[in-house]
């Protein structure tokens, strides 16, 4: 929201594309979906990969982004859930991921499971 308010919608859209490209490059074997204004979901096939995937996401967002002549330092938080431990369907998993993400943001932890 801050980026949109200060640099405009066009810039924010370009930045989101750059974020998506970086996340997709980090997780070429996974499915990536934008689920909110500044929220993405990454689906990995094996629970054993989830922790490594979450850490890779955090690391991917640590480096600043360059859009046009602006450099933007975003950072990020990750809420991690596992199927079937946290739910049997996509809606339930997304709810728990949202909760984990909220905890990560509030506690300033980059990764919460």
């Amino acid at each position: 929201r801050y980026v949109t308010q200060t640099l405009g919608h066009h810039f924010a859209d370009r930045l989101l594309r750059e974020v998506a490209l970086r996340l997709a490059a980090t997780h070429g074997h996974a499915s990536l979906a934008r689920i909110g204004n500044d929220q993405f979901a990454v689906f990995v096939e094996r629970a054993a990969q989830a922790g490594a995937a979450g850490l890779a996401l955090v690391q991917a967002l640590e480096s600043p982004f360059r859009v046009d002549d602006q450099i933007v330092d975003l950072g990020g938080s990750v809420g991690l859930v596992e199927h079937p431990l946290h739910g049997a369907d996509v809606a339930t998993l997304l709810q728990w991921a949202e909760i984990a993400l909220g905890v990560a943001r509030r506690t300033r932890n980059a990764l919460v499971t």
Side-chain angles (χ1 to χ4, degrees):
R1 200 176 290 200
Y2 176 77
V3 171
T4 303
Q5 291 173 344
T6 57
L7 299 171
H9 290 283
H10 178 73
F11 183 89
D13 288 345
R14 293 198 52 206
L15 178 60
L16 280 171
R17 277 185 288 232
E18 292 298 319
V19 169
L21 288 171
R22 191 179 292 182
L23 295 179
T26 303
H27 296 290
H29 61 282
S31 296
L32 175 70
R34 182 175 172 209
I35 58 172
N37 290 336
D38 62 350
Q39 296 178 339
F40 292 86
V42 176
F43 302 93
V44 294
E45 290 187 27
R46 294 177 188 84
Q49 296 174 338
L55 184 57
L57 287 169
V58 170
Q59 291 172 341
L61 296 173
E62 285 179 351
S63 297
F65 289 82
R66 177 180 281 282
V67 178
D68 298 330
D69 58 348
Q70 296 286 328
I71 296 176
V72 180
D73 190 7
L74 294 180
S77 300
V78 175
L80 205 57
V81 295
E82 292 182 31
H83 174 270
L85 179 64
H86 296 106
D89 58 85
V90 172
T92 303
L93 290 168
L94 287 174
Q95 285 176 327
W96 281 109
E98 184 74 29
I99 291 168
L101 178 60
V103 171
R105 287 178 171 170
R106 280 191 306 279
T107 60
R108 301 199 188 277
N109 266 329
L111 179 64
V112 170
T113 60

